[in-house]
Amino acid sequence: MDDADAVNELIVAADTAVQGWSDSTIADVREWWRRDWGEPDRRLVEGDGLAAYAEVFDHGELAELDGYVHPSSKGRGLGAWMIAAAEERARRRGKARIQAWCLAPDVDGRSLFELAGFLEARRFYRMLIELDQAPPEPDWPEGLQVETFRDEDARTFYDTLQDAFAEEWNFVPEPFERWLEFRLEAPDFDPTLWFLVRDGEEVAAVLRCDRRRFDAGWIGAIGVRKPWRKRGLGLALLLHGFGDFHRRGERKVALGVDAQNPTGATRLYERAGMHVAYEAIAFAKEIPTEVAP
């Protein structure tokens, strides 16, 4: 955790060199490191200051690489070293596939991955809304009622999210106890920013927000169960979250979304007034199985 400040400065420098700005904060780095990623391998490369940072972690059957090279240290082979080291670690861990990311405008990053045999797999958006005025009041479907999270709702809340996201790309179920520890024991956990929508005794949908992530109020997850989709519930929950953030004085709200989300989430967020702040690309590569001579 003592390295979080330096790593965040590196991330901000790398992002800014590509797109002119960054939304990374020290708190975001620390929050990421709190997560149980299956014995992650994190490494720093120091030169004249911090030259590079790389992390390889397990994500279900995948290995994932998250890496940054300081703009002043580009052209020295650090990116290629990161990829080669990540592939080797993934191979040792028996992974059949490795995945990595770069910002969409990062031409050098794309070339590096493609030269290493990676192919584009998916695109993701960071979407944002500026709340210059109070958002519209949500229009709740008839018979549904929103309420604030209580500790006794934890299991139901978790089950609803697992159900709602089960068919999402790259979704990996998380054990309940691990989820409970990570979410409810977070230093900034605020249960008044978590909401459930009930239809009688059944929970139809949930909304999880964080006070501050990536330099904005953060919509962490909106989960609507299949029987209640196509009824305006997602939009109502989103506007409910916007309204709560606005009352707290937050003037920016953001979220991350799969650009090819099968439920049409990007269109929903655009209807709510959000726009794409930036785009990231996921690259993937199959790791060949070594055959003994």
Side-chain angles (χ1 to χ4, degrees), residues 238-293:
L238 195 61
L239 292 175
H240 184 76
F242 290 170
D244 202 289
F245 276 124
H246 188 270
R247 286 188 291 273
R248 294 166 184 252
E250 181 60 68
R251 294 299 177 260
K252 289 193 304 181
V253 180
L255 52 77
V257 60
D258 179 353
Q260 298 162 254
N261 182 283
T263 65
T266 54
R267 297 189 297 274
L268 165 66
Y269 302 148
E270 288 170 347
R271 289 203 306 273
M274 305 190 84
H275 64 271
V276 175
Y278 66 81
E279 184 178 12
I281 306 174
F283 290 88
K285 178 181 179 180
E286 302 298 324
I287 298 176
T289 303
E290 293 185 347
V291 179

Side-chain angles (χ1 to χ4, degrees), residues 48-178:
D48 184 12
L50 187 57
Y53 162 73
E55 173 183 17
V56 186
F57 58 94
D58 296 338
H59 186 64
E61 299 303 313
L62 291 172
E64 292 212 34
L65 165 64
D66 189 27
Y68 302 84
V69 177
H70 195 280
S72 64
S73 295
K74 291 181 69 174
R76 302 170 66 182
L78 290 171
W81 165 77
M82 284 183 191
I83 292 174
E87 287 191 40
E88 179 56 31
R89 182 191 186 278
R91 189 175 288 108
R92 291 199 310 268
R93 297 296 294 267
K95 302 297 183 182
R97 187 175 173 89
I98 185 168
Q99 189 165 285
W101 305 81
C102 77
L103 294 172
D106 188 354
V107 177
D108 292 340
R110 171 186 279 277
S111 297
L112 188 65
F113 288 128
E114 290 175 346
L115 285 170
F118 284 70
L119 299 175
E120 180 176 325
R122 206 79 166 186
R123 294 198 174 214
F124 286 78
Y125 297 144
R126 176 64 43 81
M127 299 190 72
L128 181 72
I129 187 170
E130 289 85 11
L131 298 175
D132 300 324
Q133 57 187 10
E137 288 295 320
D139 182 15
W140 297 104
E142 185 177 354
L144 302 189
Q145 180 178 337
V146 64
E147 60 186 48
T148 304
F149 177 87
R150 302 164 299 171
D151 286 349
E152 55 265 37
D153 295 320
R155 183 74 208 202
T156 301
F157 197 101
Y158 164 86
D159 288 341
T160 301
L161 282 179
Q162 299 297 303
D163 187 22
F165 283 88
E167 296 178 1
E168 295 290 312
W169 183 80
N170 213 27
F171 175 74
V172 176
E174 184 174 27
F176 174 65
E177 294 301 328
R178 183 187 299 173

